[in-house]
Amino acid sequence: MPFSPQDGPIIAIFASDKGPGDAERASLMGEVGLVFARKGGQIICLAENGVLPVPLITAARAAGGAVEVLADKGVVLPPALTAVPITVVPDQVERLAYLSATASVLVGLPGSLASATALFRTWASDARLPVVMLNRHRAFEAIRGFAADVLSPSLPGHDRGIQFADNVEDLWNKVAWVGEQRR
C-alpha cells in the first residue's frame, strides 16, 4: 500500500520484543501502534533476521492504521498479519535506502540491540531524517546525554533532528512536529 505524506507522517518505527530485557515492550509497542494509528500516522517497520514488531503492527492495524512491513528475503509473517502489505528488499543497503526515501521520521522504541542497531544504521544512511526516541525507563539516556553534551555545542539546531520523549503521547507530539518540519 503506497503511503501518502498528505495523509499523515510516514513513520519508520524500530522496535523488537525479542531477546532479554524489559517485559513491558510488547504492551508499549501495542500502545504506540494504537495511538499512532488513531492520530493518522502511517507506520513502516523493518523485518530483518526474524525480528518483527508484531504487537505494534497488530495494534495499529486493529485501530485502522496504515502499516507496511519492509523485509529481508527470509521474512515469514505470522498468520494474523497475512493482510499486511510487505515489501521484500533482499539487500540491506537498498532496504535502508528505501526506508530513508519513504519515511519522514524515524522512531526508536526501547527494545533489543537488533532494533537499536537498525535504527542507527538507517539514521547513518540519511542523517537528514529526524529521529525521536522513546526514553522509557531511560532506555536512550546515554544518547540523550551525548546529544546534550556533544551535539548541542557543535551542531546548531540539532534539537530539530533529535528528540526524546518520556511517554507515548509526548512521542506522538514530537513525531508530528518533526514530521511537519519535513513536509
Side-chain angles (χ1 to χ4, degrees), residues 32-128:
V32 169
L34 181 68
V35 169
F36 280 34
R38 287 184 177 162
K39 303 271 186 174
Q42 302 170 92
I43 299 171
I44 185 166
C45 299
L46 275 178
E48 295 181 312
N49 303 318
V51 175
L52 178 68
V54 174
L56 172 76
I57 296 167
T58 304
R61 301 260 307 158
V67 179
E68 177 185 352
V69 172
L70 178 60
D72 59 16
K73 64 182 177 184
V75 69
V76 177
L77 293 181
L81 300 181
T82 55
V84 175
I86 184 166
T87 301
V88 176
V89 180
D91 182 72
Q92 184 182 59
V93 172
E94 291 176 17
R95 203 168 34 254
L96 297 181
Y98 177 96
L99 191 58
S100 293
T102 303
S104 55
V105 61
L106 307 177
V107 169
L109 300 183
S112 70
L113 185 55
S115 60
T117 301
L119 167 66
F120 290 109
R121 218 180 307 118
T122 304
W123 190 22
S125 75
D126 187 352
R128 295 169 297 158

